[in-house]
Each structure stands twice: as structure tokens, then as C-alpha cells.
Amino acid sequence: MSIRVMLVDDQVLLRTGFRMVLAAQPDMEVVAEAGDGVEALEVLRATAVDVVLMDVRMPKLDGVETTRRICSQPDAPKVLILTTFDLDEYAFSGLKAGASGFMLKDVPPAELLGAIRSVHSGDAVVAPSTTRRLLDRFSPMLPSTGTETRAVDTALARLTDREREVMMLVAQGLSNGEIAARLVLSEATVKTHVGRILTKLGLRDRVQVVVLAYESGLVRAGGGAA
């Protein structure tokens, strides 16, 4: 079954280029397009989509708020943020809003296609280490409210000691294999722990684990564990 992709960008030429690349793939289909966030939300009400390629700087409704509204819906499609600059504050805000990752607009086609497939399969595109660089730079500008902090603390209380340990290592950018070596566990066991962490905390992927770890204070800006 093909991956159903939606293109959201106010530049028609860019959408055309992305559509041509995706149309050449046997496992992908562009099922919808939109030129701004308002139009995207309207289209999504009537169209089944698996992955949304989301520009961030658009008229009417920007990609960050559009992503937030999409990801708040049940059975929402995955969102892949497209940005012009690495370490863009919009990319950071997009991750907080629920995006599964971000890519630069000038990324080679093969990397974009791989990213779409990864997001569709449930993986995060942005490496945790890259996410941490974003958080180190921008988290002081977007502090959590007291209500959000209390909610995070309540969610973390559901984790076992081992799950908290694994979560901290995920947040520090380690892969499952690296975590397994660090904790002297099998990689399968680590994968199980990560799955339970995502389920207990209601998170979509590893990128969201990193964001939550910063919000909760488990990891401080600069990369160290609290």
C-alpha cells in the first residue's frame, strides 16, 4: 500500500518539485496539496493522509500552529517539518508541536524519501543529538508553564527506575545499541523499554522523548543530565 503524502507549502514551484520526486516512487502517492495552514486543515478533513510535508513560514496560518492542530487530532498523520535553515527556531517549535522530525528544503531527494518512509514507519527523522542542539539553543526562549511542568512530573511518575534511566540516555542522543552497551542489556530489551516509555508518556517518537526530558529537567541545556 502506498504512503499517502500531503504537500503543504506556499511556493507552488517547490510543491511541484517535491511532487515529481515522490511520483517516481512505487510506494508513495501525493494525495493532497495546500498553500497555507488553513487550507491544509480543510483538506485533511476530507482526505486520508499518512505523512504531511509541512513548510513553516506560510501566510494565514504558519506550519507550527498547523502542526499543533494536526497532531492534536486522533489518528493524526505524521508531520515532517521542512525548513530553510538548520537550527531554525521554527523547527524547534515544530518539534514541540508534535512533528516527528525536520528536514532542510535542499536535502538530497534520496534523504527526503528515506525520511518520509522512516516517519511513516513510526521512527523519528531528526537524530536525538540534532534535537538536543535545537533545544540547547532555543529552550530558554520557550519556558514551560507551571501547569505544563506539573503535568510532565505526573507523567514521569509512571515510569520505572529503569525506564527513567533509558529515557535519559535516549534524551542524550544514544541509539538503542549504545544504550544496550551502556546498561549491559540486549538491544531488544532496550527497544521494549523505549516502547513502554512512549506508551506511558503518550509520546509519538524518540524526538518527543528528548523534548520532554528538557521540559522535565531530566536533561539540561548543554547536554548534561540533571
Side-chain angles (χ1 to χ4, degrees), residues 62-150:
D62 67 31
V64 174
E65 180 58 29
T66 305
T67 296
R68 183 176 293 107
R69 296 187 190 185
I70 291 173
C71 294
S72 68
Q73 300 299 314
D75 300 319
K78 302 296 179 62
V79 177
L80 181 57
I81 293 285
L82 297 176
T83 183
T84 306
F85 302 104
D86 195 10
L87 293 184
D88 190 316
E89 69 271 21
Y90 286 96
F92 170 78
S93 299
L95 295 179
K96 284 180 66 71
S100 293
F102 74 91
M103 302 287 288
L104 297 178
K105 284 189 175 182
D106 60 357
V107 67
E111 290 187 26
L112 176 64
L113 297 171
I116 293 171
R117 294 185 179 103
S118 294
V119 164
H120 181 251
S121 69
D123 294 330
V125 171
V126 185
S129 57
T130 304
T131 306
R132 278 184 51 193
R133 289 194 294 120
L134 274 171
L135 288 163
D136 286 346
R137 178 168 175 178
F138 294 114
S139 58
M141 304 178 194
L142 297 170
S144 298
T145 66
T147 300
E148 289 175 335
T149 300
R150 288 192 295 273

Side-chain angles (χ1 to χ4, degrees), residues 128-194:
S129 57
T130 304
T131 306
R132 278 184 51 193
R133 289 194 294 120
L134 274 171
L135 288 163
D136 286 346
R137 178 168 175 178
F138 294 114
S139 58
M141 304 178 194
L142 297 170
S144 298
T145 66
T147 300
E148 289 175 335
T149 300
R150 288 192 295 273
V152 168
D153 290 342
T154 299
L156 290 175
R158 304 189 190 110
L159 301 182
T160 66
D161 290 343
R162 176 63 87 184
E163 287 166 351
R164 287 173 67 93
E165 191 174 13
V166 171
M167 177 180 176
M168 289 180 64
L169 294 175
V170 169
Q172 292 175 46
L174 275 66
S175 67
N176 285 353
E178 291 168 336
I179 294 172
R182 179 79 62 88
L183 300 180
V184 195
L185 299 171
S186 71
E187 193 165 341
T189 298
V190 172
K191 186 175 181 179
T192 297
H193 282 310
V194 172

Side-chain angles (χ1 to χ4, degrees), residues 205-223:
D205 50 47
R206 296 169 76 98
V207 166
Q208 296 299 303
V209 171
V210 183
V211 173
L212 185 64
Y214 270 75
E215 292 179 335
S216 67
L218 284 177
V219 174
R220 293 189 297 260

